[in-house]
Amino acid sequence: MSEIIPEVSKDGLLDLGKKLFDERRVDYFLGYKKGTVRFKTTPLIAGKGEDLQELWVEDFCHANLSLYLKEIKGRVGILAKGCDSRSLVSLIKEGQIKREDLYIVGIPCAGQVDPGKAAKAASCEPEEMEEISRRGQEFVIRANGQEKILSKTQVLLDKCLCCQYPRPVIFDSLLKGDYVAPVLPAARAQDDLRKKSVSEKWAFWSGQFERCIRCYACRNTCPACFCPRCIVEENMPQWVSPLPAGGDNFVFHLMRLMHVSGTCISCGECQRVCPMEIPLMKLNEKMTDDLRELFDFVAGVDLEKVLPFRTYRQEDPQDFIR
Amino acid sequence: MYRKITGEKLKKWLIGLSAQAEILVPAKMNGLWTFRLFHNQELPRNFLNSRIPPKNLFFEPLKALLGWKAADGSFQVNSCPAPEAARVIFGLKPCDARALRLLQPVFTGDYPDVFYAGNLSRTLLLGQACRVQCQGSFCSEVGIDRQDSLDFDAFFREIPGGYLVRVITEKGNTLTGEKEFFEESSAGEWNSAKEEIRGKNENPLFNLEKVKAGARERFPDEDFWMRVSAKCINCGICTYLCPTCHCFDLCDLQRPGQGVRLRCFDSCAFPDFTKMAVHNPREEKWRRYRQRVSHKFNFFYENFQTVACVGCGRCVAHCPVNLDLREVLLEMAR
């Protein structure tokens, strides 16, 4: 039997949203609207149909809107790119939200632009870029009055270059469009860091975490970080000090990494929002690979398979726990 | 008083100064602009502003205040000394220099902070005029002239081949008085070198007087604060990247027989910022967002007769969810 996919056109999206409110199927609708700075959109949190007027689905829909489900309770309509839908699966599995409370509208994603990366490839400062536009399979960057043609691999977020789920894993309807990965799923180039010695890795991450200012944007933007109270904020006893210094920064980031393993779907929001541009995804990707290789687990792709942290198997690779 | 200097001579002058003082200049580090120790390199010409404000060089994000030792029944507390070594920072922007001045009454008023005061008095502030409007900025709306400033010891404006210099303080006058490097210039030459700011807002975004009045009127309007703060994710980017935010936390690191008391930044965006034993007056997000805006445009103005925002735009440009302070101010001004 062929699958019937409820499709909705871009014009129809607004009507669908309004209908969901009218029929009282949702209390909120999470989408995007045009941003106030270049190359950004901003989350649109609608509490009624009229709030949806500025709904916008184009490039620069970076945010993984499922982050707001930590805070917004009730029945929620939500726009989800392929990757974002995996966060929803994770959150359902973790018991944070109920599938029946969600109305998921999948949106096609041709890859999200990384303005910082594009600027670097165009040899200019991000502030000097006036426009980033798609032209066929390429991008045109206009900076300081000059145009430069760049390839997708030079412009898109790294996570989009290894996108394996361009189509949402779960949805209630899909926005019309092509659900294909932005580039051919070529074997992902392994992170150079993997081949380095432990001492080289230590030196690399010491340098990176040295810069961390402990703003917690990585944690707060992460849909998988849903603890009502984070251990770094506990002060009786104080497990981790708030001091933005090497040791405690290390503990914070590595602990967070361990804690979100199995729930993290590599949406890359932690790295995108980091004001110090720490390449946090190198850690998440290592964790993702380890989970796949050691536990045969991929986060957020099915609702059934048990989370690695929630299970125990006799044949688990290490014997420290036996 | 006005002077001028060629690019080549400026570099030589700074190299000469580095024998007597630590020199910091704009440089890129891990892809981000920051102020780094000068290694006789060429000075950048396309520097807009640093990601982390230079406030951190005066009010450090992590600072040891005192140490204690207990040995053989005695107990000894040692204050950390105020910094004294001479220092020069070149390339500071008018917004950030104004921010340093705004913080002066906070750190040198009723509760003098020897570290902030020491850092200010040991540093020669050399400013540089802006040529481009930074992303998200609204400096002119809060009364900052991007091409002129009196908040420095000397202020540099780029001209072809070099810089014009406006000498502001006696310290600036002495140091730029070396005939070997600087030539005399005039107010006429200074004024005629004023240039258009690229990418500037055509019209002012808002009227600051109306914002100040709006900040007072809007304070009790809970619906307003709930609405504007709805998408805030409670991270500390806006406060930690702000050149005027100055809230801090104290933290003791203790080992047997000794310890150190440290000061680190804290942020009013964090839910635990005001948490006390039995009560948290700012449990809800909207109260915390209201606090940040009100502190800058209402309370600080009440206390120090100036708003605590210099319009640098860092909080606008780097907010993970594009919660734009300019939009909130615009609404307050209506």
Side-chain angles (χ1 to χ4, degrees):
Chain A
M1 206 170 80
S2 67
E3 187 187 14
I4 300 163
I5 301 167
E7 273 201 342
V8 54
S9 67
K10 227 171 228 178
D11 295 332
L13 183 60
L14 195 61
D15 295 332
L16 171 68
K18 284 182 178 160
K19 201 173 113 194
L20 292 172
F21 279 110
D22 288 344
E23 293 176 359
R24 297 182 184 279
R25 289 178 67 185
V26 297
D27 305 310
Y28 294 96
F29 195 94
L30 303 177
Y32 305 91
K33 68 175 188 175
K34 267 189 173 173
T36 59
V37 292
R38 275 170 296 182
F39 320 130
K40 274 190 186 182
T41 56
T42 185
L44 173 73
I45 303 172
K48 52 185 185 302
E50 299 88 86
D51 298 344
L52 291 167
Q53 286 305 336
E54 292 173 282
L55 207 57
W56 165 264
V57 191
E58 286 285 335
D59 279 333
F60 315 116
C61 291
H62 294 111
N64 181 346
L65 297 171
S66 60
L67 88 96
Y68 287 108
L69 299 174
K70 288 187 250 185
E71 198 181 327
I72 296 172
K73 300 294 170 193
R75 290 162 311 156
V76 180
I78 185 168
L79 296 186
K81 306 185 290 287
C83 46
D84 306 337
S85 76
R86 292 175 58 198
S87 280
L88 296 173
V89 170
S90 276
L91 290 174
I92 294 166
K93 286 174 80 154
E94 292 273 16
Q96 294 301 307
I97 45 174
K98 292 195 185 102
R99 175 68 184 93
E100 58 269 29
D101 284 344
L102 294 177
Y103 188 95
I104 306 164
V105 183
I107 56 172
C109 171
Q112 295 297 323
V113 171
D114 180 342
K117 187 175 164 184
K120 211 173 278 173
S123 332
C124 65
E125 292 291 315
E127 291 86 350
E128 291 171 326
M129 289 193 299
E130 289 138 22
E131 205 183 317
I132 304 175
S133 52
R134 290 174 192 267
R135 188 182 290 169
Q137 291 299 305
E138 291 168 323
F139 280 88
V140 183
I141 311 292
R142 198 156 52 79
N144 298 319
Q146 289 184 324
E147 282 195 356
K148 272 190 187 153
I149 309 280
L150 296 179
S151 70
K152 282 183 184 175
T153 49
Q154 289 173 299
V155 174
L156 295 180
L157 285 170
D158 289 343
K159 70 154 178 175
C160 301
L161 301 178
C162 45
C163 174
Q164 291 182 48
Y165 298 89
R167 196 177 108 150
V169 192
I170 50 171
F171 57 84
D172 294 292
S173 63
L174 285 179
L175 196 65
K176 266 194 194 122
D178 296 326
Y179 288 86
V180 288
V183 293
L184 287 173
R188 188 173 76 206
Q190 274 250 322
D191 182 0
D192 294 341
L193 211 56
R194 304 278 171 92
K195 299 177 217 119
K196 301 260 166 82
S197 66
V198 170
S199 60
E200 283 171 306
K201 287 182 202 174
W202 184 261
F204 175 81
W205 287 112
S206 298
Q208 295 297 332
F209 292 144
E210 192 72 27
R211 288 150 57 209
C212 172
I213 57 172
R214 295 284 281 281
C215 67
Y216 300 127
C218 51
R219 180 195 67 185
N220 292 15
T221 202
C222 175
C225 262
F226 49 71
C227 293
R229 189 167 168 83
C230 178
I231 193 170
V232 299
E233 269 134 21
E234 286 294 346
N235 54 8
M236 282 169 46
Q238 188 168 58
W239 301 100
V240 187
S241 90
L243 305 172
D248 288 301
N249 290 354
F250 242 107
V251 173
F252 164 60
H253 285 288
L254 296 185
M255 188 177 57
R256 201 180 83 78
L257 174 72
M258 288 300 290
H259 209 168
V260 299
S261 65
T263 312
C264 164
I265 54 90
S266 306
C267 72
E269 283 292 277
C270 49
Q271 179 167 323
R272 185 183 70 84
V273 303
C274 176
M276 302 313 289
E277 301 185 9
I278 299 172
L280 292 166
M281 284 299 285
K282 280 180 186 289
L283 291 173
N284 294 56
E285 278 165 9
K286 170 77 172 120
M287 176 63 81
T288 304
D289 287 352
D290 283 357
L291 278 173
R292 193 176 43 233
E293 286 157 23
L294 299 172
F295 299 94
D296 184 32
F297 185 84
V298 179
V301 296
D302 68 81
L303 288 163
E304 276 73 46
K305 201 160 182 175
V306 188
L307 292 160
F309 261 164
R310 294 261 182 89
T311 185
Y312 166 76
R313 292 185 316 206
Q314 275 298 329
E315 65 275 23
D316 275 348
Q318 288 185 326
D319 61 1
F320 69 94
I321 205 164
R322 273 178 235 176
Chain B
M1 194 184 301
Y2 302 92
R3 299 202 165 103
K4 60 180 159 186
I5 188 167
T6 65
E8 201 47 43
K9 280 188 176 169
L10 174 71
K11 198 175 133 184
K12 284 193 182 137
W13 179 64
L14 289 174
I15 293 171
L17 279 181
S18 60
Q20 339 154 16
E22 183 183 79
I23 316 282
L24 299 171
V25 298
K28 253 189 174 179
M29 181 84 182
N30 291 307
L32 304 183
W33 283 107
T34 179
F35 290 93
R36 305 291 298 175
L37 218 48
F38 178 56
H39 294 298
N40 308 346
Q41 76 271 39
E42 289 304 315
L43 294 166
R45 289 228 150 202
N46 56 346
F47 170 65
L48 295 182
N49 210 350
S50 59
R51 178 71 53 92
I52 293 287
K55 164 191 85 178
N56 289 29
L57 298 166
F58 296 81
F59 165 53
E60 293 100 332
L62 182 59
K63 175 81 192 132
L65 303 181
L66 56 90
W68 60 267
K69 268 194 179 116
D72 311 325
S74 72
F75 185 76
Q76 215 185 1
V77 177
N78 299 306
S79 301
C80 294
E84 279 172 0
R87 183 169 74 164
V88 176
I89 309 179
F90 178 82
L92 293 165
K93 296 296 178 177
C95 54
D96 290 335
R98 177 66 53 83
L100 295 176
R101 299 298 176 203
L102 287 174
L103 292 178
Q104 233 170 321
V106 177
F107 284 115
T108 59
D110 294 346
Y111 302 95
D113 179 66
V114 292
F115 306 108
Y116 191 83
N119 278 329
L120 259 191
S121 68
R122 76 189 179 106
T123 310
L124 184 77
L125 302 174
L126 302 178
Q128 192 175 354
C130 305
R131 312 180 79 178
V132 180
Q133 171 118 26
C134 298
Q135 171 120 284
S137 64
F138 48 99
C139 37
S140 56
E141 282 82 349
V142 290
I144 297 211
D145 186 339
R146 291 163 286 208
Q147 297 231 322
D148 216 340
S149 171
L150 294 174
D151 296 321
F152 296 98
D153 291 295
F155 190 59
F156 289 65
R157 189 183 280 173
E158 276 178 71
I159 52 167
Y163 301 81
L164 288 179
V165 189
R166 178 171 189 175
V167 181
I168 297 153
T169 63
E170 198 41 54
K171 197 156 71 168
N173 184 25
T174 314
L175 279 163
T176 61
E178 298 176 56
K179 295 270 182 300
E180 192 191 339
F181 300 106
F182 292 87
E183 285 173 52
E184 291 306 312
S185 176
S186 64
E189 198 172 359
W190 175 258
N191 291 330
S192 61
K194 195 155 187 163
E195 56 178 310
E196 274 291 293
I197 300 282
R198 269 193 289 141
K200 71 167 185 179
N201 306 330
E202 286 309 317
N203 298 305
L205 295 172
F206 51 77
N207 175 313
L208 187 61
E209 291 311 311
K210 286 187 178 169
V211 168
K212 287 189 275 194
R216 285 191 298 275
E217 284 161 28
R218 285 288 196 178
F219 189 81
D221 186 351
E222 297 185 6
D223 291 340
F224 170 75
W225 296 107
M226 277 184 208
R227 179 162 54 78
V228 297
S229 69
K231 60 189 168 191
C232 173
I233 62 167
N234 307 304
C235 77
I237 290 182
C238 54
T239 47
Y240 287 180
L241 260 50
C242 177
T244 68
C245 272
H246 51 272
C247 289
F248 58 81
D249 191 8
L250 294 174
C251 185
D252 290 344
L253 288 188
Q254 312 213 41
R255 290 204 185 96
Q258 57 178 311
V260 55
R261 171 159 295 175
L262 295 135
R263 176 170 72 185
C264 65
F265 285 2
D266 203 349
S267 169
C268 60
F270 297 158
D272 282 6
F273 182 68
T274 48
K275 190 177 156 85
M276 291 170 280
V278 291
H279 177 56
N280 185 353
R282 290 187 220 130
E283 184 86 53
E284 303 98 325
K285 178 165 77 176
W286 65 268
R287 290 186 194 273
R288 299 195 291 275
Y289 189 73
R290 176 177 73 173
Q291 171 62 25
R292 180 159 195 272
V293 177
S294 300
H295 190 190
K296 296 205 178 303
F297 295 91
N298 184 352
F299 313 146
F300 199 90
Y301 176 69
E302 291 288 321
N303 291 335
F304 301 108
Q305 294 72 54
T306 174
V307 298
C309 173
V310 294
C312 72
R314 289 180 178 95
C315 63
V316 176
H318 300 292
C319 175
V321 294
N322 187 216
L323 202 181
D324 192 330
L325 178 63
R326 297 173 303 179
E327 287 196 311
V328 179
L329 298 181
L330 190 63
E331 242 189 278
M332 275 163 45
R334 276 198 196 114

